[in-house]
Amino acid sequence: MEIFNAANLGFIMGGFGNTIIISALAIVFSIALGTVLALVKQYAVKPLSLLVSAYIELFRCTPNLLWILFIYFTVKGNYIFISVLAFTIFTSAVMAEIIRGGLNSIPTSQFEAAQSQGFGFFATMRLIILPQTFKTVIPALFSQCTTVIKDSSYLAGVNVAEFMYTTKVVMAQTSNLSQVLLLYGFTFLLYFVLNFGISLIVRAYQRRVVAA
């Protein structure tokens, strides 16, 4: 049986599209939640800061797959929602530490200058501190984005129709070694192109920052 037919390729590429959708949504929500977590840990009163620190350490010190399984078996919803939720609660902890590192790199004189101009805390963060912070941490954030894309393959273990799952289903149709290897090569190529493309964007950004 020829494994690379129109139906199989359409099925596989549908899974690839789901991988991109899940990863993109998880990255956006993780950065948003991670920013809030970083700000609370860095600047909030101690009880809140400690609570956020506990959240961050809980997810940073446990495997992503554990939370995928936990969310899958405890939360009701479609597979896109469940997948995005599982990755967001985990990845936001990592993003929070990346963003907090960027916050720590901003000189305190920036805060003093903002206060002297009458800026409040939120205005200072939105207009002065966070733009500089994200400029600093963009390479690290993009690196974490590639990790999310690669780790999305864990979802195949809970039968989410992402790229690895659809590839696995098609692969089960044949025992021909050459076709299996060809399918592996195709899967490798698409993952590589997607993640290498992100790496090229990061390198271009870094060159532009250095040139500026």
Side-chain angles (χ1 to χ4, degrees), residues 49-209:
S49 178
L50 289 175
L51 186 62
V52 168
S53 295
Y55 174 95
I56 291 172
E57 293 306 319
L58 173 65
F59 288 102
R60 289 181 66 221
C61 298
T62 50
N64 194 359
L65 182 57
L66 175 70
W67 296 105
I68 291 172
L69 292 170
F70 177 77
I71 295 297
Y72 180 80
F73 288 112
T74 59
V75 177
K76 295 186 181 297
N78 65 48
Y79 69 89
I80 295 289
F81 171 76
I82 290 171
S83 302
V84 171
L85 177 61
F87 272 91
T88 297
I89 64 170
F90 180 86
T91 307
S92 61
V94 180
M95 295 296 193
E97 285 300 276
I98 292 172
I99 294 166
R100 196 171 70 87
L103 290 171
N104 285 331
S105 71
I106 306 300
T108 55
S109 58
Q110 297 285 329
F111 293 90
E112 295 166 356
Q115 289 176 355
S116 69
Q117 296 299 314
F119 286 93
F121 175 80
F122 290 106
T124 300
M125 287 295 136
R126 182 170 60 88
L127 299 174
I128 300 172
I129 303 302
L130 285 178
Q132 295 181 71
T133 297
F134 279 106
K135 185 177 180 180
T136 302
V137 302
I138 277 179
L141 291 179
F142 270 101
S143 177
Q144 187 59 33
C145 290
T146 63
T147 299
V148 171
I149 293 169
K150 289 182 290 185
D151 286 355
S152 67
S153 60
Y154 292 153
L155 295 169
V158 291
N159 297 330
V160 171
E162 50 74 59
F163 189 34
M164 280 305 299
Y165 177 79
T166 55
T167 300
K168 183 176 68 173
V169 169
V170 171
M171 195 176 294
Q173 298 175 11
T174 182
S175 58
N176 185 298
L177 179 60
S178 62
Q179 292 196 45
V180 169
L181 291 176
L182 190 61
L183 188 54
Y184 267 120
F186 179 71
T187 306
F188 164 84
L189 180 63
L190 287 188
Y191 270 122
F192 177 81
V193 168
L194 182 58
N195 286 306
F196 186 65
I198 293 174
S199 298
L200 291 178
I201 292 172
V202 173
R203 292 174 192 175
Y205 171 80
Q206 289 176 318
R207 285 195 298 268
R208 192 176 74 174
V209 169

Side-chain angles (χ1 to χ4, degrees), residues 37 40-55:
L37 293 173
V40 172
K41 182 175 179 179
Q42 189 78 358
Y43 303 113
V45 294
K46 194 165 185 179
L48 280 178
S49 178
L50 289 175
L51 186 62
V52 168
S53 295
Y55 174 95

